[in-house]
Amino acid sequence: MHGTNLGTLLRTCDAVGACLAVPPYRWVDEALARGNTLRRPTCVHRVGDPAGWLAAERAGGSRIVGVELADEAIRLADVPIADRRTVMVLGHEATGLPPQALDLLDYAVEIPMVGTGHSLNVAVAGSLVLYKLAGLS
């Protein structure tokens, strides 16, 4: 929703040794540049068909983890360290993950909140889960 979130998330990906996969929308390059302060090339993949790409990743043995409020979601504190290739899926801050992505998840992660906000922005939520999956938290 806000331009700097993708660049901020890209910096977290770099910090934990992950890549960022993004849709090929025009605004993505500008958003990545706005929040990215890294001085070296970063790992970014352009994904034209996100649902198809996720399905192929899952078929190839990747674990698919979504950050989403769901009945079966596990708490962030209980997320296991990734023991194989893992794809974390983030949705729009207001609308969440699309149904076709939800159908491909191995599990969803819930980030508990005690304040009055309804959600964290995508860069913060993604960063929390990435650090947990990488075993760095």
Side-chain angles (χ1 to χ4, degrees):
M1 186 189 299
H2 301 287
T4 58
N5 283 333
L6 277 182
T8 300
L9 188 57
L10 180 58
R11 289 179 10 226
T12 301
C13 288
D14 179 74
V16 302
C19 294
L20 183 66
V22 294
Y25 302 139
R26 279 191 196 176
W27 57 266
V28 168
D29 288 331
E30 181 182 331
L32 288 172
R34 239 190 277 166
N36 180 12
T37 58
L38 297 171
R39 295 193 171 136
R40 63 182 178 81
T42 53
C43 183
V44 178
H45 300 276
R46 310 288 189 216
V47 177
D49 173 18
W53 182 79
L54 280 176
E57 285 292 318
R58 188 164 193 210
S62 295
R63 178 174 288 131
I64 311 298
V65 176
V67 181
E68 182 74 20
L69 292 174
D71 291 338
E72 310 84 30
I74 63 173
R75 291 172 44 94
L76 178 63
D78 299 326
V79 171
I81 295 172
D83 59 359
R84 67 177 196 248
R85 182 178 170 96
T86 301
V87 176
M88 181 184 64
V89 183
L90 297 159
H92 190 279
E93 292 172 24
T95 58
L97 294 175
Q100 61 270 32
L102 286 171
D103 293 340
L104 295 168
L105 299 181
D106 288 297
Y107 64 87
V109 176
E110 168 190 2
I111 301 172
M113 297 176 54
V114 296
T116 59
H118 289 86
S119 68
L120 298 170
N121 74 42
V122 71
V124 172
S127 294
L128 288 169
V129 177
L130 277 171
Y131 267 87
K132 187 70 174 162
L133 287 168
L136 299 173
S137 63

